[in-house]
């Protein structure tokens, strides 16, 4: 009932609008009717004719409104305020974002922006929070030209971060404004993409290349030096030749160890996202690693003791990679913990706890500040000590990569003067 009433009301509105639009024609009709009356025609005939012509006019297609009148119709449209929807969308975004009006006034700031840069009252100028002339120039240019712009910017507080800032006009495809009589408003989206992690990875990559080249360059330079000596001053000195060739052999072996470790790392990186799916019993595996390291342990005067539980100790893994993990850990314990003379390997398989393997030495231990960095590539507590023990500085980095692929963790506990404990928890 109510909708029928609304229809009639709408229809009446349409007819009056049409009548207003057809004002000149209606005036002409009324003039003709008056002339007909003056000329002596009967009024019922004149009225019938007037109504008939009126019907013809109303039934005709509406004439498009002239340009000026159309603009007025647009101004009569309900005011379009996109802020609630835009704010709701940006609130769900996890990257810092601002909506700016003309004159760089902040109309909205999402939670991520509040966390990264601190809260800014709505209606403040952007410069109240971001004072960098580069950013303000960029914002000014976009507001003036309506072209998107971007810039790189770093923040020191609350923590050191690098961002790519981008500003772009938002095109809603229609006029926006809070009041019909206000000038159309323009909105701009200022977003912050955090590239700190990318930068860190970039730096790590270039450090890695620099370190790898340095590690290879040292033995290469020494090889070249000995070759020159052998070609020149030591040409006819068999004793020197024998000594130099032994050193050259050591250097070449060091280079090939380094290349092998680098290849291992890059192979592991390629499959880091694929979890291994073989079932591996750790008891025979640890026994195999101990046997393989016996000659080295004997050379160093170290005893490797294994402490194994009853029954199998099975984990999901890649056998060869797990051999590499325990070889690295037990070899390190023998090399660096040598003074303690005993290296204990504990395999734990309590049903309520995760499977664990701990390698414990009673060597000099590792100062606390080095512990968090031990698994970085080429990180060594003492480079000279590592080199003298034929280390490459990549062993624990390889261990960490393998364990990540196995969804396992490496836990390092060490006390200076007492020794170190490297635990793998599956
Ligand atoms: P490297 O080839 O030098 O042995 P790793 O990555 O295996 O490289 O180890 C990194 C560094 O960690 C070693 O150079 C050494 O300084 C320290 N480290 C590792 N294991 C031990 C340990 N059991 N006791 C003392 N220091 C250790």
């Amino acid at each position: 009932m109510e909708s029928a009433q609304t229809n009639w009301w709408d229809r009446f509105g349409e007819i009056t609008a049409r009548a207003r639009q057809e004002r000149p024609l209606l005036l002409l009709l009324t003039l003709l009717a008056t002339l007909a009356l003056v000329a002596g025609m009967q009024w019922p005939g004149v009225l019938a004719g007037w109504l008939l012509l009126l019907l013809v006019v109303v039934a005709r297609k509406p004439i498009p409104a002239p340009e000026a009148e159309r603009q007025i119709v647009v101004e009569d449209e309900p005011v379009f305020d996109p802020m609630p929807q835009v704010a709701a969308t940006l609130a769900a975004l996890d990257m810092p974002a601002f909506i700016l009006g003309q004159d760089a006034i902040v109309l909205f700031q999402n939670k991520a922006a509040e966390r990264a840069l601190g809260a800014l009252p709505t209606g403040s100028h952007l410069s109240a929070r971001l004072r960098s002339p580069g950013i303000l120039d960029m914002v000014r240019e976009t507001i003036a030209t309506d072209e998107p712009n971007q810039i790189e910017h770093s923040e020191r507080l609350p923590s050191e971060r690098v961002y790519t800032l981008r500003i772009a006009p938002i095109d809603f495809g229609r006029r926006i404004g809070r009041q019909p009589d206000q000038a159309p408003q323009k909105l701009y989206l200022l977003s912050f993409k955090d590239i700190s992690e990318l930068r860190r990875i970039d730096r790590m990559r270039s450090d890695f290349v620099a370190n790898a080249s340095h590690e290879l360059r040292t033995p290469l330079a020494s090889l070249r030096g000995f070759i020159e000596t052998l070609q020149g001053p030591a040409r006819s000195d068999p004793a020197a030749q024998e000594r130099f060739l032994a050193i050259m052999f050591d250097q070449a072996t060091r280079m090939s160890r380094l290349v092998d470790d680098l290849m291992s790392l890059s192979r592991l990186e390629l499959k880091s996202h694929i979890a291994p799916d073989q079932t591996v019993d750790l008891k025979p595996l640890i026994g195999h690693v101990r046997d393989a390291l016996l000659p080295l342990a004997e050379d160093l005067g170290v005893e490797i003791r294994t402490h194994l539980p009853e029954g199998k100790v099975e984990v999901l893994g890649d056998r060869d990679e797990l051999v590499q993990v325990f070889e690295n850990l037990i070899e390190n314990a023998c090399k660096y913990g040598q003074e303690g003379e005993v290296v204990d390997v504990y395999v734990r398989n309590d049903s309520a706890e995760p499977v664990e393997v701990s390698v414990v030495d009673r060597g000099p231990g590792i100062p606390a500040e080095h512990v968090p960095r031990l698994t970085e590539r080429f990180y060594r507590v003492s480079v000279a000590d590592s080199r003298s023990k034929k280390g490459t500085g990549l062993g624990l980095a390889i261990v960490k990569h393998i364990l990540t692929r196995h969804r396992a963790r490496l836990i390092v506990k060490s006390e200076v003067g007492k020794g170190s404990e490297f635990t793998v928890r599956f």
Side-chain angles (χ1 to χ4, degrees):
M1 188 69 192
E2 200 176 276
S3 82
Q5 260 177 16
T6 320
N7 277 343
W8 274 109
W9 185 246
D10 288 351
R11 193 85 195 102
F12 178 71
E14 265 173 40
I15 291 172
T16 35
R18 282 298 308 277
R20 240 184 288 136
Q21 207 185 1
E22 305 284 2
R23 218 177 301 147
L25 254 171
L26 288 176
L27 273 174
L28 187 69
L29 276 181
T30 316
L31 192 69
L32 280 174
T34 318
L35 281 176
L37 280 175
V38 171
M41 271 186 77
Q42 291 293 305
W43 72 266
V46 172
L47 184 64
W50 189 86
L51 281 174
L52 192 70
L53 282 169
L54 180 68
L55 261 177
V56 172
V57 166
V58 170
R60 266 181 45 231
K61 268 178 78 177
I63 309 162
E67 204 57 29
E69 237 174 291
R70 244 189 311 186
Q71 268 171 17
I72 291 164
V73 171
V74 173
E75 293 223 332
D76 281 349
E77 267 185 3
V79 173
F80 173 53
D81 179 7
M83 279 311 286
Q85 278 89 344
V86 173
T89 312
L90 291 189
L93 196 69
D94 69 344
M95 70 197 278
F98 291 89
I99 294 290
L100 304 181
Q102 277 138 337
D103 304 331
I105 296 297
V106 175
L107 300 177
F108 176 77
Q109 172 189 25
N110 70 359
K111 280 270 173 282
E114 270 180 34
R115 274 195 303 273
L117 305 152
L120 188 64
T122 305
S124 336
H125 194 272
L126 184 69
S127 59
R129 175 67 63 239
L130 295 162
R131 291 192 191 85
S132 149
I135 300 177
L136 297 176
D137 284 351
M138 170 186 82
V139 170
R140 233 174 274 131
E141 196 185 316
T142 294
I143 291 176
T145 60
D146 247 13
E147 290 295 326
N149 264 312
Q150 69 176 45
I151 195 176
E152 208 174 290
H153 169 73
S154 48
E155 282 281 320
R156 293 262 153 101
L157 291 169
S159 59
E160 177 119 31
R161 305 228 66 88
V162 187
Y163 296 101
T164 302
L165 260 76
R166 183 174 192 273
I167 181 159
I170 311 178
D171 181 6
F172 291 100
R174 60 190 286 197
R175 172 194 193 284
I176 54 171
R178 284 161 197 279
Q179 298 299 326
D181 55 345
Q182 268 185 348
Q185 209 187 352
K186 281 232 132 202
L187 300 185
Y188 300 87
L189 174 67
L190 176 66
S191 56
F192 290 62
K193 186 160 131 200
D194 192 340
I195 54 165
S196 321
E197 193 56 20
L198 274 178
R199 278 292 137 84
R200 199 181 62 82
I201 292 170
D202 261 4
R203 210 170 30 235
M204 264 174 61
R205 189 164 298 152
S206 61
D207 283 358
F208 173 66
V209 172
N211 279 328
S213 336
H214 176 75
E215 293 292 328
L216 285 169
R217 205 182 297 128
T218 316
L220 262 178
S222 130
L223 277 177
R224 282 185 60 164
F226 284 119
I227 291 169
E228 276 166 20
T229 317
L230 287 175
Q231 285 170 334
R235 189 189 288 267
S236 44
D237 180 348
Q241 279 177 4
E242 200 173 324
R243 204 154 42 87
F244 293 161
L245 282 171
I247 301 173
M248 286 167 74
F249 180 77
D250 272 356
Q251 297 291 7
T253 316
R254 184 174 147 204
M255 276 171 61
S256 70
R257 251 197 329 264
L258 194 68
V259 172
D260 285 349
D261 280 358
L262 287 172
M263 299 286 287
S264 262
L265 263 179
S266 87
R267 264 197 308 272
L268 283 167
E269 263 176 353
L270 280 181
K271 53 181 180 178
S272 61
H273 57 285
I274 312 165
D277 55 3
Q278 293 169 17
T279 304
V280 183
D281 184 356
L282 292 178
K283 273 173 68 178
L285 187 141
I286 296 287
H288 163 83
V289 173
R290 185 204 48 213
D291 294 347
L293 288 174
L294 274 182
L296 172 89
E298 265 170 26
D299 279 356
L300 295 170
V302 177
E303 186 193 346
I304 305 171
R305 289 187 201 148
T306 53
H307 308 266
L308 309 172
E310 292 289 312
K312 291 183 172 183
V313 183
E314 286 182 336
V315 292
L316 274 187
D318 178 310
R319 192 179 180 282
D320 292 344
E321 287 182 9
L322 291 177
V323 165
Q324 219 178 336
V325 165
F326 296 114
E327 258 177 12
N328 262 306
L329 295 181
I330 300 174
E331 187 181 325
N332 276 353
C334 293
K335 285 190 313 192
Y336 301 107
Q338 173 183 5
E339 292 156 30
E341 292 176 2
V342 177
V343 167
D344 286 299
V345 183
Y346 297 92
V347 181
R348 295 186 202 94
N349 188 22
D350 303 335
S351 53
E353 300 290 328
V355 170
E356 277 186 358
V357 179
S358 297
V359 179
V360 183
D361 68 63
R362 293 170 189 81
I366 307 164
E369 67 271 22
H370 296 288
V371 172
R373 301 195 58 188
L374 290 180
T375 54
E376 284 177 25
R377 293 159 186 203
F378 296 114
Y379 191 85
R380 283 162 284 192
V381 176
S382 152
V383 176
D385 193 25
S386 157
R387 285 214 180 122
S388 72
K389 287 171 173 158
K390 299 189 165 61
T392 58
L394 292 173
L396 291 179
I398 292 175
V399 166
K400 188 186 156 194
H401 262 81
I402 295 177
L403 294 184
T404 307
R405 190 165 110 76
H406 281 72
R407 314 288 184 260
R409 281 173 62 204
L410 178 69
I411 302 153
V412 184
K413 288 185 195 152
S414 190
E415 214 175 312
V416 176
K418 287 202 169 166
S420 310
E421 178 174 344
F422 286 73
T423 301
V424 175
R425 182 174 293 164
F426 288 89

